[in-house]
Coordinates of all heavy atoms in Angstrom, one line a residue:
K1 N 25.4 1.8 57.4 CA 26.4 2.4 56.6 C 27.7 1.5 56.3 O 28.1 1.4 55.2 CB 26.9 3.7 57.2 CG 26.0 4.9 57.2 CD 26.6 6.1 57.8 CE 25.8 7.3 57.7 NZ 26.3 8.5 58.3
L2 N 28.1 0.7 57.3 CA 29.2 -0.1 57.2 C 28.9 -1.3 56.2 O 29.7 -1.6 55.3 CB 29.6 -0.7 58.5 CG 30.7 -1.7 58.5 CD1 32.0 -1.1 57.9 CD2 31.1 -2.2 59.9
I3 N 27.8 -2.0 56.4 CA 27.5 -3.1 55.5 C 27.2 -2.7 54.1 O 27.5 -3.4 53.1 CB 26.4 -4.1 56.0 CG1 25.0 -3.3 56.1 CG2 26.7 -4.6 57.4 CD1 23.9 -4.2 56.5
T4 N 26.7 -1.5 53.9 CA 26.4 -0.9 52.6 C 27.8 -0.6 51.9 O 28.0 -0.9 50.7 CB 25.6 0.4 52.7 OG1 24.4 0.1 53.3 CG2 25.4 0.9 51.2
K5 N 28.7 -0.1 52.7 CA 30.1 0.2 52.2 C 30.8 -1.1 51.7 O 31.4 -1.2 50.6 CB 30.9 0.9 53.2 CG 32.4 1.1 52.9 CD 33.1 1.8 54.1 CE 34.6 1.8 53.9 NZ 35.2 0.5 54.1
I6 N 30.7 -2.2 52.5 CA 31.3 -3.4 52.2 C 30.7 -4.0 50.9 O 31.4 -4.6 50.0 CB 31.1 -4.4 53.4 CG1 31.9 -4.0 54.6 CG2 31.5 -5.8 53.0 CD1 31.5 -4.7 55.9
Y7 N 29.4 -3.9 50.8 CA 28.6 -4.4 49.7 C 29.1 -3.7 48.3 O 29.4 -4.3 47.3 CB 27.1 -4.3 49.8 CG 26.3 -4.5 48.6 CD1 26.1 -5.9 48.1 CD2 25.7 -3.5 47.9 CE1 25.4 -6.1 47.0 CE2 24.9 -3.8 46.8 CZ 24.7 -5.1 46.3 OH 24.0 -5.4 45.2
H8 N 29.2 -2.3 48.5 CA 29.6 -1.5 47.3 C 31.0 -1.8 46.9 O 31.3 -1.8 45.7 CB 29.4 0.0 47.6 CG 28.0 0.4 47.6 ND1 27.5 1.5 48.3 CD2 26.9 -0.1 46.9 CE1 26.2 1.7 48.0 NE2 25.8 0.7 47.2
E9 N 31.9 -2.1 47.9 CA 33.3 -2.4 47.6 C 33.3 -3.7 46.8 O 34.1 -3.9 45.9 CB 34.1 -2.5 48.9 CG 34.4 -1.1 49.4 CD 35.1 -1.2 50.8 OE1 35.4 -2.3 51.3 OE2 35.5 -0.2 51.4
R10 N 32.5 -4.7 47.2 CA 32.5 -6.0 46.6 C 32.1 -6.0 45.1 O 32.6 -6.6 44.2 CB 31.7 -7.0 47.4 CG 31.4 -8.3 46.8 CD 32.7 -9.1 46.4 NE 32.4 -10.3 45.7 CZ 32.1 -10.4 44.4 NH1 32.1 -9.4 43.6 NH2 31.9 -11.6 43.9
I11 N 30.9 -5.2 44.9 CA 30.4 -5.2 43.5 C 31.0 -4.1 42.7 O 30.8 -4.0 41.5 CB 28.9 -5.1 43.5 CG1 28.4 -3.7 44.1 CG2 28.2 -6.2 44.3 CD1 27.0 -3.4 43.9
N12 N 31.8 -3.2 43.3 CA 32.5 -2.1 42.6 C 31.5 -1.2 41.9 O 31.7 -0.8 40.8 CB 33.5 -2.6 41.6 CG 34.5 -1.5 41.2 OD1 34.7 -0.6 41.9 ND2 35.0 -1.7 40.0
D13 N 30.3 -0.9 42.6 CA 29.3 -0.1 42.0 C 28.5 0.5 43.2 O 27.7 -0.2 43.9 CB 28.4 -0.9 41.1 CG 27.3 -0.1 40.4 OD1 27.2 1.1 40.7 OD2 26.7 -0.7 39.5
T14 N 28.6 1.8 43.3 CA 27.9 2.5 44.5 C 26.5 2.9 44.1 O 25.8 3.3 44.9 CB 28.7 3.7 44.9 OG1 28.8 4.7 43.8 CG2 30.0 3.4 45.4
S15 N 26.1 2.6 42.8 CA 24.7 3.1 42.4 C 23.7 2.0 42.8 O 22.5 2.3 42.9 CB 24.7 3.3 40.9 OG 24.9 2.1 40.2
K16 N 24.1 0.8 43.0 CA 23.2 -0.3 43.3 C 22.8 -0.3 44.8 O 23.7 0.0 45.7 CB 23.7 -1.7 42.9 CG 23.8 -1.9 41.4 CD 24.3 -3.3 41.1 CE 24.3 -3.5 39.6 NZ 24.7 -4.9 39.2
T17 N 21.6 -0.7 45.1 CA 21.1 -0.7 46.5 C 21.1 -2.1 47.0 O 20.7 -3.1 46.3 CB 19.6 -0.1 46.5 OG1 19.6 1.2 46.0 CG2 19.1 -0.1 48.0
M18 N 21.6 -2.3 48.2 CA 21.6 -3.6 48.8 C 20.3 -3.9 49.4 O 19.6 -3.0 50.0 CB 22.7 -3.6 50.0 CG 22.8 -4.9 50.7 SD 24.0 -4.8 52.0 CE 23.2 -3.6 53.1
V19 N 19.8 -5.1 49.2 CA 18.4 -5.5 49.7 C 18.5 -5.8 51.2 O 19.3 -6.6 51.7 CB 18.0 -6.8 49.0 CG1 16.6 -7.2 49.5 CG2 17.8 -6.5 47.5
I20 N 17.6 -5.1 52.0 CA 17.5 -5.4 53.4 C 16.1 -6.1 53.5 O 15.1 -5.5 53.2 CB 17.5 -4.1 54.3 CG1 18.8 -3.3 54.1 CG2 17.2 -4.5 55.7 CD1 20.1 -4.1 54.6
G21 N 16.1 -7.3 54.1 CA 14.9 -8.1 54.2 C 13.9 -7.5 55.2 O 14.3 -6.9 56.2
K22 N 12.6 -7.8 55.0 CA 11.6 -7.4 55.9 C 10.9 -8.5 56.5 O 9.8 -8.4 57.1 CB 10.6 -6.4 55.3 CG 9.8 -7.0 54.1 CD 8.9 -6.0 53.4 CE 8.0 -5.3 54.4 NZ 7.2 -4.3 53.7
G23 N 11.4 -9.7 56.3 CA 10.8 -11.0 56.8 C 11.0 -11.1 58.3 O 11.6 -10.3 59.0
G24 N 10.3 -12.2 58.9 CA 10.4 -12.4 60.3 C 11.7 -13.2 60.7 O 11.6 -14.3 61.1
S25 N 12.8 -12.5 60.6 CA 14.0 -13.2 60.9 C 14.5 -12.9 62.3 O 13.9 -12.1 63.0 CB 15.2 -12.6 59.9 OG 15.5 -11.3 60.2
Y26 N 15.7 -13.5 62.7 CA 16.2 -13.3 64.0 C 16.7 -11.9 64.1 O 17.0 -11.4 65.3 CB 17.3 -14.3 64.2 CG 16.9 -15.7 64.4 CD1 17.2 -16.6 63.4 CD2 16.1 -16.1 65.5 CE1 16.8 -18.0 63.5 CE2 15.7 -17.4 65.6 CZ 16.0 -18.3 64.7 OH 15.6 -19.6 64.8
A27 N 16.9 -11.2 63.0 CA 17.4 -9.8 63.1 C 16.5 -8.9 64.0 O 17.1 -7.9 64.6 CB 17.5 -9.2 61.7
G28 N 15.2 -9.2 64.0 CA 14.4 -8.4 64.9 C 14.5 -8.6 66.4 O 13.9 -7.9 67.2
K29 N 15.3 -9.6 66.7 CA 15.5 -9.9 68.1 C 16.9 -9.6 68.7 O 17.1 -9.7 69.8 CB 15.2 -11.5 68.4 CG 13.9 -12.0 67.8 CD 12.7 -11.3 68.6 CE 11.4 -12.0 68.1 NZ 10.2 -11.4 68.9
I30 N 17.8 -9.3 67.8 CA 19.1 -9.0 68.2 C 19.5 -7.5 67.9 O 19.3 -7.0 66.8 CB 20.1 -9.9 67.3 CG1 19.8 -11.4 67.4 CG2 21.6 -9.7 67.7 CD1 20.5 -12.3 66.4
P31 N 20.1 -6.8 69.0 CA 20.4 -5.5 68.8 C 21.4 -5.2 67.7 O 22.3 -6.0 67.4 CB 21.0 -5.1 70.2 CG 20.5 -6.1 71.1 CD 20.4 -7.4 70.3
N32 N 21.2 -4.1 66.9 CA 22.1 -3.6 65.9 C 22.3 -4.7 64.8 O 23.4 -4.9 64.3 CB 23.5 -3.3 66.4 CG 23.4 -2.0 67.4 OD1 22.7 -1.1 67.0 ND2 24.1 -2.1 68.4
S33 N 21.2 -5.4 64.4 CA 21.3 -6.4 63.4 C 20.3 -6.1 62.3 O 19.3 -5.4 62.5 CB 21.0 -7.8 64.0 OG 19.7 -7.9 64.5
V34 N 20.7 -6.5 61.1 CA 19.7 -6.4 59.9 C 19.7 -7.7 59.2 O 20.6 -8.5 59.3 CB 20.3 -5.3 58.9 CG1 20.3 -3.9 59.6 CG2 21.7 -5.6 58.4
A35 N 18.6 -7.8 58.4 CA 18.4 -9.1 57.6 C 18.8 -8.8 56.2 O 18.2 -8.0 55.5 CB 16.9 -9.5 57.7
T36 N 19.9 -9.4 55.8 CA 20.4 -9.3 54.4 C 21.1 -10.6 54.0 O 21.4 -11.4 54.9 CB 21.2 -8.1 54.2 OG1 21.5 -7.9 52.8 CG2 22.6 -8.3 54.9
G37 N 21.4 -10.7 52.7 CA 22.1 -11.9 52.2 C 21.1 -13.0 51.7 O 20.0 -12.6 51.6
I38 N 21.5 -14.1 51.4 CA 22.9 -14.6 51.5 C 23.5 -14.9 50.1 O 24.6 -15.4 50.0 CB 22.9 -15.9 52.3 CG1 24.3 -16.4 52.7 CG2 22.1 -17.0 51.6 CD1 25.1 -15.6 53.6
I39 N 22.7 -14.6 49.0 CA 23.2 -14.8 47.7 C 23.6 -13.6 47.0 O 22.9 -12.5 47.0 CB 22.1 -15.5 46.9 CG1 21.7 -16.9 47.5 CG2 22.5 -15.8 45.4 CD1 20.5 -17.5 46.9
L40 N 24.8 -13.6 46.4 CA 25.2 -12.5 45.5 C 24.8 -12.8 44.1 O 25.4 -13.7 43.5 CB 26.7 -12.2 45.7 CG 27.3 -10.9 45.1 CD1 26.8 -9.7 45.8 CD2 28.8 -11.0 45.1
H41 N 23.9 -12.1 43.6 CA 23.3 -12.5 42.2 C 24.2 -12.2 41.1 O 24.3 -13.1 40.2 CB 21.9 -11.8 42.1 CG 20.9 -12.3 43.0 ND1 20.2 -13.5 42.8 CD2 20.4 -11.8 44.2 CE1 19.4 -13.7 43.8 NE2 19.4 -12.6 44.6
D42 N 24.7 -11.0 41.0 CA 25.8 -10.7 39.9 C 25.2 -11.1 38.6 O 25.9 -11.8 37.8 CB 27.1 -11.5 40.2 CG 28.0 -10.7 41.1 OD1 27.6 -9.5 41.4 OD2 29.0 -11.2 41.6
G43 N 24.0 -10.7 38.2 CA 23.5 -11.0 36.9 C 23.0 -12.4 36.6 O 22.8 -12.8 35.5
Y44 N 22.8 -13.1 37.7 CA 22.4 -14.6 37.6 C 20.9 -14.6 37.0 O 20.1 -13.8 37.3 CB 22.4 -15.2 38.9 CG 21.5 -16.5 39.0 CD1 22.0 -17.7 38.4 CD2 20.4 -16.5 39.7 CE1 21.2 -18.8 38.4 CE2 19.6 -17.7 39.8 CZ 20.0 -18.8 39.1 OH 19.3 -20.0 39.2

């Protein structure tokens, strides 16, 4: 909820969904962590 709120505040649009990765990242080994980032596309 917190990182989604931060993302929505940055892009000023609550309708867009933040991408949460499903790859084999370190997030799966660290408590309370998620895989997201690191590029903000902004219409690129």
Side-chain angles (χ1 to χ4, degrees):
K1 283 183 177 180
L2 176 58
I3 63 174
T4 301
K5 172 179 170 289
I6 294 169
Y7 172 72
H8 285 156
E9 287 176 357
R10 169 59 183 79
I11 65 170
N12 197 28
D13 185 353
T14 59
S15 66
K16 290 187 177 181
T17 304
M18 182 182 62
V19 175
I20 302 293
K22 66 186 300 179
S25 74
Y26 292 112
K29 305 295 183 182
I30 304 171
N32 294 321
S33 61
V34 296
T36 191
I38 185 72
I39 300 173
L40 192 64
H41 291 284
D42 275 352
Y44 163 71

